[in-house]
Amino acid sequence: EAIAEAAGVSIGTLYHYFPTKDALVAAVVERMWRGELEAFARTAPRFAEGPLEAAILAAVEELARYVASKKDVYRTWFVEASQLGDLQTGLGMSGQAAQFVRGALEAAGPRVRPRDLAFASDLVVKTALAVLRTGARDYPDELANGALAKELADMLCRYLLA
């Protein structure tokens, strides 16, 4: 009932589009994941243009803006539905985001500390997602004012760059 009320629709309308609670939750989670991928994709050109530190900061800030804009949904998801959604869909989207990062790491060459770029790229994406999703719950002010994005980007740069 709370979902229908928040969406401004009747319960009947909600059930017309989402016949079960699982269908509704899966749709919400997939939409969140798609928004995260789109945030990474918007900054993909920055990785090709360099410098790497600026590209990482831009990607983290863009992702942070997206999470901050949906912080109430993230808080609810984190507490109630973090294991829901099609895991393979989510992994596929984070894998696409990791490809953006990997291309930048390959272009940065000897400045990059990790040798396994596939692992490092995946770790960076999943770390950013985990920190910002958690930030929606635990650090909403820092998420909103950009402090969390700056700290996270600094941490990721220190991991990645020699």
mmCIF file with all atom_site columns, all heavy atoms in Angstrom, residues 38 96 108 112:
data_model
loop_
_atom_site.group_PDB
_atom_site.id
_atom_site.type_symbol
_atom_site.label_atom_id
_atom_site.label_alt_id
_atom_site.label_comp_id
_atom_site.label_asym_id
_atom_site.label_entity_id
_atom_site.label_seq_id
_atom_site.pdbx_PDB_ins_code
_atom_site.Cartn_x
_atom_site.Cartn_y
_atom_site.Cartn_z
_atom_site.occupancy
_atom_site.B_iso_or_equiv
_atom_site.pdbx_formal_charge
_atom_site.auth_seq_id
_atom_site.auth_comp_id
_atom_site.auth_asym_id
_atom_site.auth_atom_id
_atom_site.pdbx_PDB_model_num
ATOM 1  N N   . GLU A 1 38  ? 24.202 3.673  -16.447 1.00 0.00 ? 38  GLU A N   1
ATOM 2  C CA  . GLU A 1 38  ? 24.103 4.899  -17.241 1.00 0.00 ? 38  GLU A CA  1
ATOM 3  C C   . GLU A 1 38  ? 24.976 6.011  -16.651 1.00 0.00 ? 38  GLU A C   1
ATOM 4  O O   . GLU A 1 38  ? 25.569 6.798  -17.401 1.00 0.00 ? 38  GLU A O   1
ATOM 5  C CB  . GLU A 1 38  ? 22.642 5.339  -17.352 1.00 0.00 ? 38  GLU A CB  1
ATOM 6  C CG  . GLU A 1 38  ? 21.820 4.412  -18.229 1.00 0.00 ? 38  GLU A CG  1
ATOM 7  C CD  . GLU A 1 38  ? 20.322 4.636  -18.134 1.00 0.00 ? 38  GLU A CD  1
ATOM 8  O OE1 . GLU A 1 38  ? 19.876 5.519  -17.366 1.00 0.00 ? 38  GLU A OE1 1
ATOM 9  O OE2 . GLU A 1 38  ? 19.592 3.908  -18.834 1.00 0.00 ? 38  GLU A OE2 1
ATOM 10 N N   . GLN A 1 96  ? 29.811 -4.258 -17.597 1.00 0.00 ? 96  GLN A N   1
ATOM 11 C CA  . GLN A 1 96  ? 29.916 -3.227 -18.638 1.00 0.00 ? 96  GLN A CA  1
ATOM 12 C C   . GLN A 1 96  ? 30.628 -1.986 -18.090 1.00 0.00 ? 96  GLN A C   1
ATOM 13 O O   . GLN A 1 96  ? 31.485 -1.400 -18.761 1.00 0.00 ? 96  GLN A O   1
ATOM 14 C CB  . GLN A 1 96  ? 28.536 -2.844 -19.156 1.00 0.00 ? 96  GLN A CB  1
ATOM 15 C CG  . GLN A 1 96  ? 27.877 -3.932 -19.984 1.00 0.00 ? 96  GLN A CG  1
ATOM 16 C CD  . GLN A 1 96  ? 26.468 -3.542 -20.379 1.00 0.00 ? 96  GLN A CD  1
ATOM 17 O OE1 . GLN A 1 96  ? 26.233 -2.420 -20.801 1.00 0.00 ? 96  GLN A OE1 1
ATOM 18 N NE2 . GLN A 1 96  ? 25.535 -4.461 -20.239 1.00 0.00 ? 96  GLN A NE2 1
ATOM 19 N N   . ALA A 1 108 ? 46.413 4.042  -19.395 1.00 0.00 ? 108 ALA A N   1
ATOM 20 C CA  . ALA A 1 108 ? 47.326 4.682  -18.434 1.00 0.00 ? 108 ALA A CA  1
ATOM 21 C C   . ALA A 1 108 ? 48.658 3.949  -18.334 1.00 0.00 ? 108 ALA A C   1
ATOM 22 O O   . ALA A 1 108 ? 49.635 4.511  -17.832 1.00 0.00 ? 108 ALA A O   1
ATOM 23 C CB  . ALA A 1 108 ? 46.658 4.770  -17.064 1.00 0.00 ? 108 ALA A CB  1
ATOM 24 N N   . VAL A 1 112 ? 49.644 2.498  -13.729 1.00 0.00 ? 112 VAL A N   1
ATOM 25 C CA  . VAL A 1 112 ? 48.684 1.654  -13.019 1.00 0.00 ? 112 VAL A CA  1
ATOM 26 C C   . VAL A 1 112 ? 49.432 0.599  -12.210 1.00 0.00 ? 112 VAL A C   1
ATOM 27 O O   . VAL A 1 112 ? 50.279 -0.119 -12.731 1.00 0.00 ? 112 VAL A O   1
ATOM 28 C CB  . VAL A 1 112 ? 47.711 1.000  -14.019 1.00 0.00 ? 112 VAL A CB  1
ATOM 29 C CG1 . VAL A 1 112 ? 46.771 0.035  -13.317 1.00 0.00 ? 112 VAL A CG1 1
ATOM 30 C CG2 . VAL A 1 112 ? 46.930 2.070  -14.754 1.00 0.00 ? 112 VAL A CG2 1
#
